[in-house]
Amino acid sequence: MTLRPWLPDDAASLLAAVQATPDLDTQMDRLAVDDLDAAEAYIRSDLRFHPDDGMCSFAVEVDGRAVGNIGLGHIDHRHRTGWLSYWISRDSRGLGLAGRAAAGVADWALHDLNLFRIELGHRVNNPASCAVAQRAGFPPEGIERSKLEYGGVRFDVETHSRLATDPAPALDLPTLKL
């Protein structure tokens, strides 16, 4: 597995992931990615890699194909914080990719961007995302009540964080190509 910035050539992989993974509605505007041109435009606008502008999106590449995204957003260099998000296409889930990739991006952000605190959150009814967070070295901190709304339903969110002073998880971290 390799982590790298998204490229316009990844449009077909992004489109395939969106079409095969209906639950990405909670991560992105799936309706905005309805053909190859739209997927390429989405990569250019929403999956950018600009640490100085507060947003870094990493394609999770396996066997030459982008199968997921690890996003680091809301980067605040003054307070040295950021917010991590992740998704893996349905056909690549269950392989441990998300945990390793999240840990790899967190390690990069804590060391190369000199961040001190990285946060993430997941709906409390999403135990798979909780397992990813914990595998990646993000212990839980608490519940934010009714934080998110999808389809007219409100969801509680469990927040996790990883600090620069926390021990790194014992995972085989992916290669980063920047």
Side-chain angles (χ1 to χ4, degrees), residues 36-47:
L36 279 176
D37 289 336
E40 186 174 330
Y42 192 86
I43 288 168
R44 291 184 194 281
S45 65
D46 290 77
L47 298 177

Side-chain angles (χ1 to χ4, degrees), residues 4-125:
R4 58 161 176 78
W6 283 85
L7 304 169
D9 289 347
D10 293 321
S13 294
L14 177 61
L15 181 60
V18 166
Q19 290 173 338
T21 316
D23 63 2
L24 286 184
D25 284 339
T26 61
Q27 295 287 326
M28 62 188 297
D29 180 6
R30 290 179 66 242
L31 298 178
V33 183
D34 59 356
D35 63 27
L36 279 176
D37 289 336
E40 186 174 330
Y42 192 86
I43 288 168
R44 291 184 194 281
S45 65
D46 290 77
L47 298 177
R48 335 180 277 292
F49 187 85
H50 295 289
D52 292 336
D53 293 337
M55 179 63 191
C56 300
S57 292
F58 290 86
V60 178
E61 182 183 279
V62 176
D63 297 329
R65 183 173 65 100
V67 299
N69 180 67
I70 307 295
L72 181 67
H74 303 286
I75 299 170
D76 182 332
H77 293 284
R78 179 179 185 275
H79 295 289
R80 299 173 51 208
T81 61
W83 182 268
L84 191 84
S85 61
Y86 42 84
W87 60 261
I88 299 292
S89 64
R90 178 165 288 189
D91 64 347
S92 296
R93 291 181 180 173
L95 304 173
L97 300 175
R100 288 180 52 219
V105 170
D107 188 68
W108 170 79
L110 294 169
H111 295 99
D112 291 19
L113 293 185
N114 194 33
L115 297 186
F116 182 79
R117 176 184 173 85
I118 303 171
E119 301 175 20
L120 63 81
H122 62 83
R123 295 181 324 276
V124 295
N125 68 338

